[in-house]
Amino acid sequence: NNKEFFTAKHATKTRTKTNTKSTIHSLRDLTPQELHPHATPTRHMVDPPPDTTPIYLVTCQTTAGPLHIAVHTSWAPIGARRFLHMVRTRYFSTKVAFMRCVRSFICQFGLAGDPSYNDEYKGKKNSLPDDPNWLPEGPSHRTNELGVKRFAKGYFSYAGSGTNSRSNQFIVALGDNERLAGGSPWEVPWGEAVGKVSFETLDEIYTGYGEKGPSQARLSKEGSSEGIGRDFPELDYILSCDVVDSTD
């Protein structure tokens, strides 16, 4: 119920975070490589699509620390637009759980802390058509000749279950991964974490529950309830996300 949700929303965790201060306040704070990334010997196995459409800087406050996200609408226009819509409608202010987080692999999130916010995204009619994948697919492209893995740490994409299945759940890579975006159409990246503090936050997200965190069914029904808080006291959450700058 709403009382249970709002009580849980303001609960504090017992773990102390070391990186609590946002360090990026505008796109001018990004390096040229962060603003318009290209393939290097250590990151991005291929050049991402050129930024012919706007870039948005989104800052999320989480229980693990601040998370700055460069949303490149040219990378995956349809997916990027939905994420930005969710930010602007305060979806992430409902206290969104990092529900399935596996060390050095991925963290899945997106189910609203207030279950009523999920309604807009339920059902096949509210799923998104797929964006074209700009990463090379297949086993032969898991790494490039320099050893750079296909899906870089800090890439954001959707969670999904088939063609045109993207809805309101996302993944972020907690480590470089060679298998993601290798053919699953929902995994095309639409943005990435930027700034040292964001990567420190990714390292702080609790991964001890692994695949045994709260189920999607339970989160869909209860949201970020007191019961979820009792049963998963170390779970991390997104507390808010805001668009703080753009090239638009």
Side-chain angles (χ1 to χ4, degrees), residues 36-210:
H36 300 295
H38 57 84
T40 74
T42 58
R43 185 172 177 83
H44 304 296
M45 76 176 316
V46 297
D47 289 335
D51 290 303
T52 56
T53 56
I55 306 165
Y56 293 84
L57 177 63
V58 172
T59 293
C60 298
Q61 300 300 331
T62 84
T63 54
L67 196 53
H68 306 293
I69 306 168
V71 180
H72 295 268
T73 58
S74 64
W75 290 13
I78 299 169
R81 281 197 298 269
R82 170 159 290 185
F83 174 74
L84 291 168
H85 170 74
M86 294 169 73
V87 170
R88 289 168 173 144
T89 56
R90 313 305 300 166
Y91 182 97
F92 294 99
S93 295
T94 66
K95 191 182 180 188
V96 173
F98 286 115
M99 54 172 282
R100 174 179 167 249
C101 300
V102 180
R103 184 180 179 184
S104 300
F105 178 40
I106 61 163
C107 193
Q108 184 172 338
F109 65 97
L111 291 171
D114 178 343
S116 67
Y117 277 68
N118 295 318
D119 293 345
E120 180 179 349
Y121 307 100
K122 288 180 178 178
K124 190 172 182 179
K125 65 182 176 63
N126 291 315
S127 295
L128 298 178
D130 293 323
D131 284 297
N133 190 6
W134 53 269
L135 287 167
E137 298 182 352
S140 62
H141 295 291
R142 288 175 178 169
T143 62
N144 66 12
E145 64 277 5
L146 298 175
V148 179
K149 295 180 180 180
R150 179 164 45 214
F151 202 93
K153 181 178 180 179
Y155 275 4
F156 283 82
S157 68
Y158 282 79
S161 58
T163 302
N164 301 327
S165 63
R166 296 180 300 173
S167 183
N168 62 334
Q169 293 198 55
F170 304 91
I171 60 171
V172 58
L174 300 182
D176 295 337
N177 186 278
E178 63 184 20
R179 294 181 178 272
L180 293 171
S184 299
W186 57 88
E187 289 173 353
V188 54
W190 46 261
E192 64 175 336
V194 288
K196 179 182 177 183
V197 69
S198 297
F199 287 87
E200 291 173 350
T201 294
L202 293 180
D203 291 339
E204 286 279 0
I205 294 173
Y206 186 71
T207 58
Y209 299 126

Side-chain angles (χ1 to χ4, degrees), residues 211-233:
E211 300 278 2
K212 297 182 179 180
S215 69
Q216 295 186 45
R218 185 176 177 187
L219 279 172
S220 296
K221 181 179 179 180
E222 296 182 25
S224 297
S225 65
E226 288 183 347
I228 293 289
R230 282 193 305 269
D231 293 345
F232 303 95

